[in-house]
Amino acid sequence: MRVAAIDCGTNSIRLLIADIADPSDGQVSDGQASGGQQLTDVHREMRVVRLGQGVDVTGMLAPEALERTFAAVDDYAELIRTSAVERVRFVATSATRDAGNRDVFVAGIQARLGIAPEVVSGAEEAELSFNGAASVLPMTENHNVLVVDLGGGSTEFVMGNAAGVTAALSTDMGCVRFTERYLQNDPPTAQEIAVAEHAIAEKLQEVLAVVPLGDVERIVGVAGSITTITAHALGLVRYDSEAIHAAVVPLEAMDAAASSLLTMTHAERAELGFMHPGRVDVIGAGALIWRTILRKLVQLGDGELESATTSEHDILDGIALGAARS
């Protein structure tokens, strides 16, 4: 079955067109999904449209942000039409959840794709992220894996194993939201960083009440902020998905890369060959959030957690798998 999945977040909108097969038909794929489904990419792309521009302050989707998003969806609709797609699923997350004028967004998407977008809850977003990461990474029922999906408006913390999700929480903490709230200067000042770190620490206390972070045996990071930090940690001169996916990076190296990106100016970040232009102004907040999460896990753990794994497969893959199952 050929499906199209669209993930519309606070900072970016992404499209995946994929063929999904049951293993009983004899096909083989490296992407072994939960439930036995196998996913093979046909087309995958991302555009930064910053749908969540100003939502944290105004509670509304800005007209120019809607225009950018609708333009991207027009292009996606044409790709879907010419790719013989059988099922389409559109999922919208944090920015749309928070917006008072989401009805304008919903109507615009339905007019362009012929389907209503799903504005998912934080819990649903967390499960989709875990399913996407779990579909291509080895897991056992005996190890506690924490998947962290660090987005533009929210960050999902999902604990689970091969049997599925055991605990999850979505927090209102993301690279766009925290840039707009806390990191106004270029580069951010020490005081701005300290205030943002305190806010992140408070969010992590909320997570601890639901997700047993002290029991984490392996951490997997997904989404653009974490893949970008990983590219920096690996010393890449350009963005290389194959090198980034499934990369296991020592925590010290990940911490150093995050700290470096946090303290750079926008101009310095823009010169990095792996840096997407749409992330230049918000990667500092993403780096600070990721660094603080990793340091907290080290503090809570027994010393066995020494590295973080990065996955290029995330909520978008989870959306595609769900489209095939529906």
Side-chain angles (χ1 to χ4, degrees), residues 38-160:
Q38 298 170 341
L39 183 153
T40 303
D41 284 17
V42 174
H43 180 83
R44 188 186 291 257
E45 73 170 270
M46 181 272 290
R47 299 188 189 186
V48 173
V49 294
R50 196 65 60 84
L51 178 63
Q53 170 193 330
V55 168
D56 191 52
V57 174
T58 67
M60 305 290 279
L61 298 169
E64 60 270 31
L66 285 167
E67 184 177 341
R68 292 191 298 266
T69 304
F70 289 156
V73 174
D74 284 335
D75 292 340
Y76 287 178
E78 179 63 16
L79 281 167
I80 290 168
R81 186 187 66 79
T82 58
S83 299
V85 168
E86 297 170 67
R87 291 184 184 172
V88 181
R89 189 180 185 193
F90 187 115
V91 167
T93 55
S94 179
T96 314
R97 279 199 301 268
D98 297 343
N101 60 339
R102 75 172 73 173
D103 56 325
V104 177
F105 172 80
V106 170
I109 299 303
Q110 187 153 16
R112 287 163 171 81
L113 288 176
I115 60 164
E118 301 173 46
V119 183
V120 298
S121 67
E124 291 172 309
E125 184 177 357
E127 185 168 359
L128 286 169
S129 296
F130 185 87
N131 289 342
S135 70
V136 290
L137 293 174
M139 291 199 181
T140 70
E141 294 188 17
N142 301 320
H143 289 88
N144 293 318
V145 177
L146 177 69
V147 173
V148 176
D149 183 347
L150 202 173
S154 65
T155 296
E156 283 65 51
F157 297 78
V158 200
M159 182 87 86

